[in-house]
Amino acid sequence: MSNALSADDAPQPPKVLTTPLEISSNLRQLQESHDPLIITFHERSQRFQSYLIKVDRDSGTIALDEMIPRDGERFLQAGEPFKVEGFHEGVRIAWECSTPLTIEESAGDRFYSGAMPTEVVYHQRRNAFRAALKLTDLVNVELGGEKLKSPIAGKLLDISATGCKLRFEGDITGRLQLGQVYDRLIATPLFGNQSTSVELRYLHFEEKLNMTFAGLRFHNISGPVARNVERFVYQLQREARRFDKDDF
């Protein structure tokens, strides 16, 4: 099936951004879109979530929102270096932070401020085409397994060969753990009668919508399930291209 994909979908090599203008403009995209960030400390397996809340090119500083879970602060206070990784419209934007961040508080909100990174990795991974579903065609999904007391029903918002984004009614952030692998994601149109395990990469409750959004990466996906996903993504990709041509 990959032979049918155009050359535009081939993997693109990562770029290293080094100018303050390039770095600040890409970080500002993460900030303005409220894209979740994954923080990982070197030699530690636990993942933490945060958001960019300030990007100031003039002063060369940035600020990150309070980490979730908050116990990651003890590694921050110890001066441990860490990696920050975010995704904006399919583009991976990542950087290393080896200089200490200052823990600050304003009006009861905690945040971490420090120097803007001097290098940022920008990686457009087109081989993982992410197909968004129309609201009228959202697929029913169920997330379950040993790590959950009971399965959680939701909707599939978009999908690529490597992961998917789900939507759940209400605030379920207390039931899920960032970085946790859940061994049963059921989505009949994608996997048929099978299920697959997934790793929770980000989690965000949108209070105005009363909905929780979760980003998941497929974990140890089997060959048959992977082929089903590729077939489903390719079908959506073809439809998207057909609609683009109709619009043109």
Side-chain angles (χ1 to χ4, degrees), residues 92-179:
R92 177 177 176 265
I93 300 173
W95 66 95
E96 298 278 344
C97 188
S98 54
T99 56
L101 296 184
T102 303
I103 301 175
E104 301 184 34
E105 193 164 331
S106 175
D109 296 324
R110 293 173 74 84
F111 62 94
Y112 320 119
S113 61
M116 187 182 297
T118 55
E119 289 188 354
V120 166
V121 175
Y122 177 98
H123 193 186
Q124 171 69 62
R125 301 186 297 180
R126 293 186 181 179
N127 59 320
F129 177 88
R130 183 167 291 278
L133 281 71
K134 289 182 283 186
L135 289 176
T136 54
D137 298 332
L138 296 186
V139 172
N140 291 322
V141 299
E142 185 179 276
L143 184 64
E146 294 182 358
K147 302 296 183 180
L148 289 171
K149 292 182 179 179
S150 59
I152 309 173
K155 297 281 189 180
L156 177 72
L157 292 182
D158 65 32
I159 183 169
S160 75
T162 57
C164 59
K165 185 176 182 180
L166 307 182
R167 183 188 80 190
F168 301 94
E169 296 290 335
D171 184 359
I172 62 163
T173 54
R175 300 175 62 183
L176 300 175
Q177 173 64 50
L178 200 67

Side-chain angles (χ1 to χ4, degrees), residues 26-207:
N26 280 278
L27 295 187
R28 196 167 286 114
Q29 286 184 333
L30 292 173
Q31 177 194 358
E32 293 174 351
S33 298
H34 202 58
D35 294 315
L37 305 176
I38 299 295
I39 293 177
T40 50
F41 290 88
H42 295 185
E43 300 179 2
R44 297 187 184 276
S45 59
Q46 189 175 6
R47 299 171 183 269
F48 302 90
Q49 179 176 292
S50 184
Y51 295 89
L52 264 171
I53 57 175
K54 188 187 81 169
V55 178
D56 191 332
R57 181 163 67 96
D58 293 334
S59 63
T61 58
I62 61 172
L64 299 174
D65 199 7
E66 181 179 5
M67 274 188 282
I68 304 171
R70 186 170 157 180
D71 55 3
E73 278 191 12
R74 68 179 186 271
F75 307 135
L76 198 69
Q77 289 174 316
E80 294 189 23
F82 59 90
K83 181 178 73 175
V84 185
E85 180 183 46
F87 291 86
H88 180 74
E89 296 183 354
V91 177
R92 177 177 176 265
I93 300 173
W95 66 95
E96 298 278 344
C97 188
S98 54
T99 56
L101 296 184
T102 303
I103 301 175
E104 301 184 34
E105 193 164 331
S106 175
D109 296 324
R110 293 173 74 84
F111 62 94
Y112 320 119
S113 61
M116 187 182 297
T118 55
E119 289 188 354
V120 166
V121 175
Y122 177 98
H123 193 186
Q124 171 69 62
R125 301 186 297 180
R126 293 186 181 179
N127 59 320
F129 177 88
R130 183 167 291 278
L133 281 71
K134 289 182 283 186
L135 289 176
T136 54
D137 298 332
L138 296 186
V139 172
N140 291 322
V141 299
E142 185 179 276
L143 184 64
E146 294 182 358
K147 302 296 183 180
L148 289 171
K149 292 182 179 179
S150 59
I152 309 173
K155 297 281 189 180
L156 177 72
L157 292 182
D158 65 32
I159 183 169
S160 75
T162 57
C164 59
K165 185 176 182 180
L166 307 182
R167 183 188 80 190
F168 301 94
E169 296 290 335
D171 184 359
I172 62 163
T173 54
R175 300 175 62 183
L176 300 175
Q177 173 64 50
L178 200 67
Q180 181 65 61
V181 173
Y182 298 94
D183 53 21
R184 192 170 69 248
L185 177 67
I186 299 172
T188 303
L190 274 73
F191 314 137
N193 295 324
Q194 304 180 68
S195 64
T196 189
S197 59
V198 287
E199 178 192 357
L200 183 63
R201 298 281 292 177
Y202 73 81
L203 188 66
H204 174 62
F205 173 62
E206 188 62 55
E207 189 173 357

